[in-house]
Amino acid sequence: TKEKGIESESMNISISSLFITLCVSLLFILFFSMILTHKKSYRLFRADLLFILAIVICLRMIFPVEFPFTKTIPLPVIMNPIMDFLNFELFSGIKVMYVLFFIWMTGIGFGLINHIKNLIVTNKFKDRIIRKSRCFKMSELLQQNVSPDYNVYICDAVSAPMVIGFKKCIFIPEQEYSQIEMSNILKHEAQHLKQNDFIFKQIVKLLTIIYWWFPPVYLLKKNMLFLSKLKHQ
């Protein structure tokens, strides 16, 4: 069965490349999950190495392509039945693959709309907090030089220390903290900002939107949340 793909000089996107991407991603996600669910296993790996593995998984799913330097292994026993099914005409000129592609794109559209709405709500919430907050520099609260010296907003509108959205700042509740508590809180939240945790979470979120029909992507999302906590322990 000859397969049509979106070709260029540098890469080729096709049904087989998508299929291979899903298979490889599934194996990596299961391996990733196996490490994180066994304390003895993930203690052998540094959190940084696990983070790199997660990045590799995400990049593979973001780019489900065949590169010029890769060699495709023909699997006619698997691919031929799949292609026959996808090319089956439900109606005149309407193949199964067209229907599935339409459903896929519709799911992505709804997911993106909801995600954008959530980002807008989050951004408005953040701006509302900033307007009602007292602003300090980390160095002021810690009484020492720090780099980067993030803004810290103190306000009753938050119930716990947090970072919100893309803006690199820290929000903490209006309450009394000892110098040690303040230091621990700000250094912990600053670590989230330095490691761009929010951005990486957005990438994983976009993957769950794109591959909403692929169950292992939700396991990847769960593993990433666990890894984020592990990195800050």
Side-chain angles (χ1 to χ4, degrees):
T1 303
K2 188 175 179 181
E3 214 181 305
K4 291 184 179 179
I6 302 172
E7 297 184 5
S8 70
E9 292 181 359
S10 58
M11 61 186 65
N12 175 47
I13 301 175
S14 63
I15 291 173
S16 66
S17 69
L18 176 61
F19 178 76
I20 291 169
T21 294
L22 295 178
C23 291
V24 171
S25 299
L26 173 61
L27 292 175
F28 274 119
I29 291 170
L30 291 177
F31 176 65
F32 189 30
S33 182
M34 182 188 72
I35 293 173
L36 293 179
T37 51
H38 295 83
K39 274 192 176 182
K40 290 182 180 178
S41 296
Y42 71 66
R43 281 176 178 171
L44 296 175
F45 297 84
R46 288 181 56 188
D48 292 342
L49 293 177
L50 293 175
F51 191 68
I52 290 172
L53 174 59
I55 290 175
V56 170
I57 297 171
C58 291
L59 287 176
R60 190 67 186 98
M61 295 183 73
I62 291 170
F63 300 104
V65 299
E66 295 172 9
F67 295 96
F69 53 81
T70 59
K71 215 171 193 182
T72 303
I73 301 173
L75 294 171
V77 175
I78 297 175
M79 291 308 302
N80 284 349
I82 291 176
M83 293 306 302
D84 289 341
F85 170 71
L86 294 176
N87 286 316
F88 179 78
E89 290 194 8
L90 297 171
F91 307 101
S92 178
I94 300 179
K95 298 179 181 180
V96 170
M97 73 168 67
Y98 301 154
V99 175
L100 293 179
F101 184 74
F102 175 77
I103 294 172
W104 185 5
M105 292 300 108
T106 301
I108 290 176
F110 279 116
L112 283 175
I113 290 170
N114 287 331
H115 185 55
I116 291 170
K117 283 182 179 178
N118 289 335
L119 287 178
I120 292 172
V121 169
T122 299
N123 192 58
K124 288 181 177 178
F125 174 65
K126 177 196 67 184
D127 290 341
R128 190 164 60 248
I129 293 175
I130 289 176
R131 287 195 299 270
K132 297 179 179 179
S133 302
R134 293 185 294 135
C135 181
F136 300 88
K137 287 291 186 180
M138 271 186 67
S139 56
E140 293 179 68
L141 297 173
L142 297 180
Q143 298 178 3
Q144 63 184 30
N145 292 328
V146 293
S147 180
D149 196 2
Y150 298 116
N151 286 336
V152 180
Y153 294 95
I154 302 178
C155 179
D156 284 330
V158 294
S159 58
M162 62 179 68
V163 294
I164 305 173
F166 293 99
K167 186 176 177 67
K168 295 215 166 190
C169 59
I170 300 169
F171 299 89
I172 61 175
E174 182 80 55
Q175 63 184 63
E176 292 294 326
Y177 293 103
S178 68
Q179 195 62 30
I180 294 176
E181 288 173 331
M182 180 65 76
S183 177
N184 291 337
I185 288 169
L186 294 183
K187 287 178 180 178
H188 177 85
E189 297 304 325
Q191 195 67 14
H192 284 291
L193 296 175
K194 288 177 183 177
Q195 295 178 344
N196 296 303
D197 285 357
F198 182 79
I199 293 175
F200 197 73
K201 285 178 182 178
Q202 293 307 301
I203 293 173
V204 175
K205 177 61 180 177
L206 287 176
L207 280 178
T208 62
I209 291 173
I210 295 171
Y211 293 96
W212 58 267
W213 47 269
F214 185 53
V217 78
Y218 298 100
L219 179 59
L220 174 63
K221 181 180 177 182
K222 179 181 176 183
N223 289 340
M224 285 309 306
L225 291 174
F226 181 79
L227 178 60
S228 179
K229 294 176 183 177
L230 186 64
K231 285 168 63 183
H232 298 292
Q233 285 180 359

